[in-house]
Amino acid sequence: TKEGFDTFMEKEIREQPRAVAETLKERLDAKGALTLDELRIGAETFRGIESVIIVACGTAAYAGQVARYAIEHWCRIPCEVELAHEFRYRDPVVSVRTLVVAISQSGETMDTIMAIRHAREQGARVLAIVNTPGSTISREADAVLLTHAGPEIAVASTKAFTAQIAACYLLGLYLAQVRGNKYADEIADYLDRLSEMPAKIQTVLDRYAGSPDLGVDLERIKSVIFLGRHVGYPVAMEGALKLKEIAYLHAEGFAAGELKHGPIALIEEGQPVVIIVPTPRRPELHRKVVSNIAEVRARGAVTLVVAEDGDESVNEFAEVVWRVPKTPTLMRPLVDVLPLQLFALRMAGHLGFDVDQPRNLAKSVTVE
Ligand code: M6R
């Protein structure tokens, strides 16, 4: 049931603190070590892994793109992310020392199933991050790390996304631990940071419990551009996907650094641009994105900005600022995506569309 919400999507957006908390629960042992008992791949195999390839589609692939930043940083293993339907056809280089990570909410996405079959035929180990126990992907994988988001009914994925990021981070920390890149105290510290995220997610959801202020004339919006750098880049693409799926609006997510290589030509008076601003504690990232806001604003864009509490540098360039609590850079996607989900929900509601069952889409894509 919708438990008092108008739509499943809104209910699922509001369930994200629990989805993330449940996914992280009971993964630390008394000594502060990360234990992932359900992984049926031995620690020895994880130690021998030379590369990680994440395969997924849609929102799950964006979760994978976020994970890549963490896995490479923590584990120092090359990590690629590929759309499952592209992976199979490019003759990928995989071996017994490749860990293929399939991410899927449903566990029934045919493109992802075919990708893991292909990977296994080449001898790769396959680990599945799925939300549906007993699903095809969980049965065919060598090991499974479950997300505990609970059933996701709305076609547009929300709580599965944040739970997938949490699970990927557990995997990244586990790999770092077994491979000796990180010591128990560092792992415990990261897990502490992660375990603070459900409360931060709740804070953002409480702030924007009503209709988030959009600061734009909804009637006039024809397209929306999303910009992000580093982990904000896949979040920008996810924000755009949500808007396409449920509000039927043209939307694109770009890497903010790519702006002057082309997309800035799109900016004209009144063009809404959503920008995810990294923490000021990473000045090399922050400074550049703030100057991107100024650039689009100077060309007439209506700027909707996601920024941390206390980051006043964005105020003079922003039509609207959606505030998120101070959060370590790698964890920011868990809060940054929330205003974007709510923005899409609000837009779709305003336009009168059925947000749970958008046209032309199925909850799980079981054909290739
Ligand atoms: O069930 P899966 O996670 O494998 O599904 C993958 C995509 O089909 C899915 O994320 C899709 O993009 C959603 N409609 C996004 O909101």
Side-chain angles (χ1 to χ4, degrees):
T1 74
K2 296 182 192 150
E3 290 171 20
F5 292 102
D6 291 341
T7 61
F8 279 110
M9 186 176 170
E10 180 165 10
K11 169 178 172 270
E12 289 161 7
I13 288 173
R14 304 281 168 200
E15 282 172 346
Q16 288 176 102
R18 200 170 74 208
V20 171
E22 288 294 317
T23 299
L24 296 174
K25 211 162 115 185
E26 289 167 15
R27 309 287 205 185
L28 261 190
D29 73 12
K31 289 189 225 117
L34 183 59
T35 54
L36 298 176
D37 290 337
E38 71 265 52
L39 292 189
R40 299 183 301 260
I41 298 177
E44 208 42 58
T45 304
F46 281 124
R47 273 192 275 277
I49 292 301
E50 286 171 354
S51 67
V52 176
I53 304 179
I54 300 176
V55 292
C57 302
T59 289
Y62 295 139
Q65 290 201 29
V66 169
R68 177 182 182 208
Y69 291 85
I71 291 174
E72 290 199 330
H73 180 65
W74 289 335
C75 310
R76 308 309 300 153
I77 314 177
C79 175
E80 298 169 49
V81 186
E82 186 143 11
L83 294 169
H85 36 90
E86 287 295 321
F87 172 78
R88 297 169 54 204
Y89 297 108
R90 99 184 140 83
D91 199 10
V93 181
V94 294
S95 73
V96 288
R97 292 186 175 276
T98 309
L99 178 68
V100 169
V101 178
I103 307 177
S104 175
Q105 187 286 128
S106 63
E108 301 296 348
T109 298
M110 188 52 78
D111 288 317
T112 311
I113 295 171
M114 298 310 281
I116 67 172
R117 287 184 186 158
H118 184 76
R120 295 192 78 214
E121 279 162 17
Q122 320 288 305
R125 302 302 169 113
V126 174
L127 186 149
I129 294 180
V130 293
N131 196 45
T132 315
S135 56
T136 307
I137 292 175
S138 72
R139 283 185 278 110
E140 293 197 12
D142 297 299
V144 182
L145 182 55
L146 281 177
T147 49
H148 295 289
E152 194 182 61
I153 308 293
V155 165
S157 185
T158 54
K159 63 177 179 171
F161 176 72
T162 40
Q164 282 158 354
I165 293 172
C168 286
Y169 281 14
L170 289 175
L171 173 67
L173 290 171
Y174 181 75
L175 274 175
Q177 175 175 278
V178 296
R179 296 166 66 88
N181 303 71
K182 293 258 172 289
Y183 298 107
D185 54 340
E186 288 174 80
I187 305 271
D189 188 53
Y190 278 116
L191 288 170
D192 277 350
R193 298 302 191 93
L194 264 177
S195 61
E196 290 164 7
M197 293 313 297
K200 292 187 183 188
I201 294 171
Q202 190 65 58
T203 301
V204 179
L205 293 176
D206 290 345
R207 276 181 196 173
Y208 302 107
S211 300
D213 176 13
L214 297 183
V216 262
D217 179 358
L218 298 183
E219 303 300 332
R220 288 185 45 215
I221 297 186
K222 295 280 174 286
S223 84
V224 180
I225 291 170
F226 292 76
L227 300 175
R229 191 177 265 268
H230 193 264
V231 287
Y233 170 35
V235 175
M237 291 189 285
E238 169 62 5
L241 180 62
K242 291 291 89 91
L243 212 51
K244 290 173 196 164
E245 286 190 290
I246 63 166
Y248 313 145
L249 264 177
H250 181 252
E252 288 304 328
F254 297 108
E258 197 60 12
L259 199 58
K260 52 183 156 313
H261 299 285
I264 199 164
L266 290 168
I267 308 296
E268 55 182 358
E269 194 64 35
Q271 170 67 51
V273 181
V274 177
I275 305 117
I276 299 154
V277 180
T279 173
R281 296 183 304 288
R282 291 286 299 271
E284 75 289 10
L285 298 174
H286 179 264
R287 198 182 322 121
K288 290 187 172 142
V289 177
V290 173
S291 78
N292 293 141
I293 312 177
E295 283 157 8
V296 295
R297 177 71 178 249
R299 289 162 179 82
V302 176
T303 50
L304 311 165
V305 172
V306 181
E308 274 188 7
D309 286 339
D311 178 2
E312 306 306 334
S313 65
V314 299
N315 296 355
E316 60 176 306
F317 308 114
E319 195 69 36
V320 174
V321 186
W322 292 316
R323 292 285 175 187
V324 297
K326 286 191 179 143
T327 302
T329 296
L330 284 173
M331 322 266 167
R332 277 282 302 270
L334 295 171
V335 284
D336 290 346
V337 75
L338 308 170
L340 311 193
Q341 295 168 342
L342 291 166
F343 176 44
L345 183 73
R346 165 92 198 277
M347 247 348 261
H350 176 79
L351 296 169
F353 297 131
D354 177 350
V355 299
D356 288 337
Q357 294 283 341
R359 69 185 181 204
N360 306 343
L361 294 174
K363 180 60 183 163
S364 58
V365 183
T366 54
V367 290
E368 287 181 81

